[in-house]
Amino acid sequence: MEKVWLSSPHMGEMERKFVAEAFDTNWVSPVGPHIGAFEKELAEYAGIGHCAALSSGTAAIHLALILLGIKGGDEVVCSSFTFSGSCNPIAYVGATPVFVDSEEVTWNMDPVLLEECIKDRLSKTGKKPSAIILVHLYGMPADVEAIMKTARAHSIPVIEDAAEALGSTYGGKALGTFGDLGVYSFNGNKIITTSGGGALISENAEWIAKARFLATQARDPAPHYQHSEIGYNYRLSNICAGIGRGQLMVLDERVHQRRRNFDAYLDGLSDLKGVSFPAEPDSAYANRWLTTILIDPEKAGTNRVEVAAALEKENIESRPLWKPMHLQPVFQSAPAYSRGVSERLFETGLCLPSGSNLPEGDRDRVIRLVRDCWK
Ligand SMILES: *Cc1c(COP(=O)(O)O)cnc(C)c1O
């Protein structure tokens, strides 16, 4: 039986043409016309002033922290319910992550808990956190209004990790554009891909220019190789940028396809006892990158492990929700503010096959197999 993937790359018509153009003109390096064009087109899509194309979303978060001057001894607040790429860069700069749990509606950072966290860090360390990394998980917009209000009230800069949320909006405005800096990822399983890549966006032109400088080994303007700062090899290649340009052209279509998956699963599964889906709040438009369901074992009589096993038997990939960072061995000693929400989400949640290229027949089969677990 052919494998049904959780979320696999889905190329459009133009990617191959842009890549061929890169070959034909010999711009086969981290320099070339596709890079600038991709940055411009992505910035236009998001409705933001400036964009730097980078080798990954993780690299973008790393550079964002450097641009904000985060260093050893600083604390950085981060959503606990996320992928490790969100918070590993906090360790890269020698700072300490402080994790804040989710709220029930969006599964993203709880604004009330954030306020508590900031006050508690102030009283415990005498210093407020130096930055906040706000994640929009699975493409669902966080309560950005409340989070930004709290962040602004305490004058703490916000990095929006919209790695999973390209194409999502809040109040009609693209996610990634609310914070001081925004981050996208074009990893292979994201809503669009460059095979691997990321971007840093901001209204601050200087920051983005500095990000490009740092991403290309921080080379000073001189006739020889001269360096006054530590640099990184974080630039996106011209070939990958070409793929990205093609993918941007089909992004809205990809969002619609992902949302159709969600609607079909909602239709096919929501009557099952103990099953629930995350609902979109009023001002939110979610790209529904992955369709996620919660299975309450008490009510369902089955659980996420059994459902995943039933799918696996038919060569269908599913995945538990992200394991919260405050429960990860590597972040054991990091301060955490939790009410157990993300922990429960992790224990009961499952991501279903959600590719924009998922054949309807396969999706129907997933629905049938999941339903069989309730029989
Ligand atoms: C994928 C992802 C990242 C990291 O992006 P890469 O391009 O894989 O480095 C960061 N945060 C979240 C929430 C992600 O899903």
Side-chain angles (χ1 to χ4, degrees):
M1 225 173 306
E2 218 181 306
K3 175 129 182 147
V4 176
W5 298 96
L6 187 76
S7 175
S8 69
H10 185 187
M11 293 297 116
E13 302 275 313
M14 292 298 288
E15 290 84 343
R16 204 187 283 269
K17 183 187 155 279
F18 286 127
V19 171
E21 207 176 291
F23 273 80
D24 293 344
T25 55
N26 204 30
W27 285 111
V28 185
S29 77
V31 192
H34 283 326
I35 302 171
F38 181 53
E39 289 178 337
K40 187 166 165 282
E41 287 154 10
L42 182 60
E44 270 167 18
Y45 181 88
I48 194 132
H50 308 279
C51 168
L54 301 169
S55 55
S56 73
T58 308
I61 297 174
H62 187 192
L63 292 183
L65 292 169
I66 293 170
L67 291 167
L68 293 174
I70 311 297
K71 54 191 184 318
D74 290 340
E75 290 190 340
V76 176
V77 176
C78 184
S79 309
S80 182
F81 194 40
T82 189
F83 169 62
S84 65
S86 299
C87 54
N88 279 336
I90 302 171
Y92 301 169
V93 297
T96 304
V98 175
F99 294 113
V100 169
D101 199 9
S102 308
E103 39 99 354
E104 301 271 359
V105 179
T106 70
W107 301 2
N108 291 310
M109 190 185 282
D110 182 336
V112 178
L113 218 44
L114 171 65
E115 180 73 40
E116 271 179 46
C117 161
I118 294 169
K119 288 189 173 138
D120 193 56
R121 294 327 292 164
L122 251 172
S123 82
K124 285 210 168 89
T125 69
K127 202 175 127 186
K128 68 184 179 195
S130 302
I132 296 165
I133 300 176
L134 173 66
V135 184
H136 304 288
L137 215 59
Y138 301 116
M140 177 63 78
D143 188 351
V144 264
E145 221 172 277
I147 299 279
M148 288 311 298
K149 200 169 152 214
T150 299
R152 294 293 181 239
H154 294 276
S155 304
I156 302 174
V158 173
I159 299 165
E160 249 184 293
D161 179 352
E164 300 179 2
L166 184 60
S168 300
T169 60
Y170 182 90
K173 192 167 138 69
L175 296 188
T177 64
F178 290 85
D180 300 273
L181 291 143
V183 169
Y184 296 125
S185 165
F186 311 110
N187 199 358
N189 64 1
K190 298 283 155 69
I191 191 149
I192 60 168
T193 183
T194 59
S195 82
L200 185 65
I201 60 169
S202 180
E203 286 300 351
N204 187 322
E206 260 170 59
W207 276 348
I208 298 303
K210 182 81 190 273
R212 290 193 195 106
F213 166 76
L214 291 172
T216 49
Q217 305 288 24
R219 216 182 132 190
D220 293 340
H224 52 274
Y225 277 77
Q226 170 104 358
H227 306 274
S228 318
E229 269 184 82
I230 296 293
Y232 303 85
N233 185 4
Y234 278 172
R235 201 67 165 131
L236 189 70
S237 86
N238 190 59
I239 295 203
C240 293
I243 301 174
R245 292 187 72 191
Q247 287 272 274
L248 266 183
M249 291 177 168
V250 291
L251 173 54
D252 285 337
E253 196 182 321
R254 297 293 176 265
V255 173
H256 289 135
Q257 287 156 331
R258 300 254 176 182
R259 287 176 63 91
R260 268 205 294 282
N261 284 334
F262 177 86
D263 291 341
Y265 285 129
L266 185 72
D267 237 32
L269 300 172
S270 58
D271 65 306
L272 292 172
K273 249 198 213 125
V275 167
S276 60
F277 288 78
E280 225 168 24
D282 276 345
S283 340
Y285 179 78
N287 68 8
R288 297 292 188 190
W289 170 54
L290 295 183
T291 294
T292 54
I293 59 170
L294 298 181
I295 304 165
D296 179 346
E298 312 255 292
K299 291 185 191 142
T302 182
N303 56 51
R304 74 152 162 87
V305 178
E306 283 176 7
V307 174
L311 294 173
E312 179 60 37
K313 237 171 58 194
E314 301 280 320
N315 208 15
I316 296 168
E317 187 185 18
S318 66
R319 194 198 275 165
L321 303 192
W322 300 121
K323 181 173 178 176
M325 290 301 123
H326 72 278
L327 302 177
Q328 298 286 356
V330 71
F331 294 119
Q332 225 165 19
S333 60
Y337 296 80
S338 169
R339 294 205 183 102
V341 174
S342 59
E343 200 165 336
R344 183 183 51 81
L345 292 171
F346 169 61
E347 277 161 9
T348 61
L350 194 68
C351 305
L352 298 175
S354 303
S356 47
N357 51 3
L358 178 68
E360 225 176 288
D362 285 349
R363 196 173 63 202
D364 290 343
R365 196 152 59 88
V366 173
I367 291 172
R368 220 172 327 114
L369 288 164
V370 172
R371 293 195 70 86
D372 284 347
C373 298
W374 266 253
K375 284 195 179 135

